[in-house]
Amino acid sequence: TGIVSALDRSLGGDGQNGPAIDHLIQSDAAINPGNSGGPLLDSAGRLIGINTAIYSPSGASAGIGFAVPVDTVNRVVPQLIKDGKYLRPALGIEVDEGINQRLARLGNIEGVVILRVTPDSAAAAAGLQGARISGDGGIVPGDSIVAVEGKKVVNVAQLLSRLDDYKVGDVVKVTVLRDGNKVDVLVSLQPGL
């Protein structure tokens, strides 16, 4: 037994490709090695998550446990059963966390800079704009994504996490900074790679 001590936690990832696992439930219930895949139940016996990992500085079964919420399981598992894989919802853009961090340190950007819009993608159909080279060889910034459905986005991992709240085919409102102005763009999410 234990308590849920936090929600929407993330584990892993390298900052480049986003967190390996996000939207986790954090609990102080003892999770032993080998319990991954087991249920996390509430006091009424209802399934609220699937145990996934434990952080234990001592190596014992005491520490902080993490579970994938049942809502995520209900969204992902049927697709795994049907198709044998999970297709992450995507916009059809190229981004890079390293470049984003450098630009943020220089104070030149807010949100996630779109480096390139993939031709024939959902982003292209919606009119999102990537960076481009000017006639004199300089770089002209494109759109910077600052929110998805009104929820703030400050880095690539957070963008991927926000998109993962939806499924392929959902239409989401993406707020971008374009020429200093906030613009809302509707994008129908496509399968990611």
Side-chain angles (χ1 to χ4, degrees):
T1 60
I3 62 165
V4 170
S5 51
L7 299 173
D8 205 23
R9 296 299 305 268
S10 297
L11 281 180
D14 59 7
Q16 184 80 8
N17 299 312
I21 308 172
D22 48 18
H23 297 306
L24 295 172
I25 299 168
Q26 178 181 300
S27 168
D28 72 350
I31 298 177
N32 298 305
N35 284 151
S36 291
L40 180 65
L41 306 172
D42 68 9
S43 60
R46 294 175 296 217
L47 177 70
I48 61 170
I50 302 296
N51 294 319
T52 302
I54 185 168
Y55 171 73
S56 175
S58 69
S61 296
I64 301 171
F66 297 94
V68 174
V70 71
D71 290 344
T72 302
V73 172
N74 287 336
R75 186 178 71 247
V76 172
V77 169
Q79 193 179 119
L80 288 173
I81 293 169
K82 181 180 172 228
D83 302 328
K85 61 185 174 185
Y86 174 66
L87 297 175
R88 192 171 204 164
L91 297 170
I93 60 174
E94 290 181 20
V95 294
D96 182 278
E97 184 58 26
I99 292 172
N100 224 64
Q101 287 176 1
R102 286 191 291 275
L103 291 172
R105 279 194 299 271
L106 295 172
N108 295 345
I109 65 133
E110 179 181 343
V112 175
V113 174
I114 299 176
L115 299 176
R116 181 177 174 271
V117 173
T118 306
D120 301 319
S121 68
L128 290 176
Q129 301 173 8
R132 63 187 188 283
I133 306 294
S134 67
D136 63 359
I139 296 177
V140 178
D143 294 335
S144 291
I145 299 172
V146 294
V148 173
E149 286 295 330
K151 294 180 182 174
K152 190 173 182 176
V153 170
V154 296
N155 57 39
V156 173
Q158 196 170 51
L159 172 63
L160 296 176
S161 178
R162 296 277 187 252
L163 293 176
D164 211 33
D165 289 339
Y166 304 94
K167 62 184 184 300
V168 172
D170 283 351
V171 176
V172 297
K173 179 177 73 173
V174 177
T175 305
V176 298
L177 276 180
R178 181 180 293 161
D179 300 322
N181 300 309
K182 286 189 178 177
V183 177
D184 291 332
V185 179
L186 295 177
V187 183
S188 178
L189 298 176
Q190 67 180 47
L193 298 177

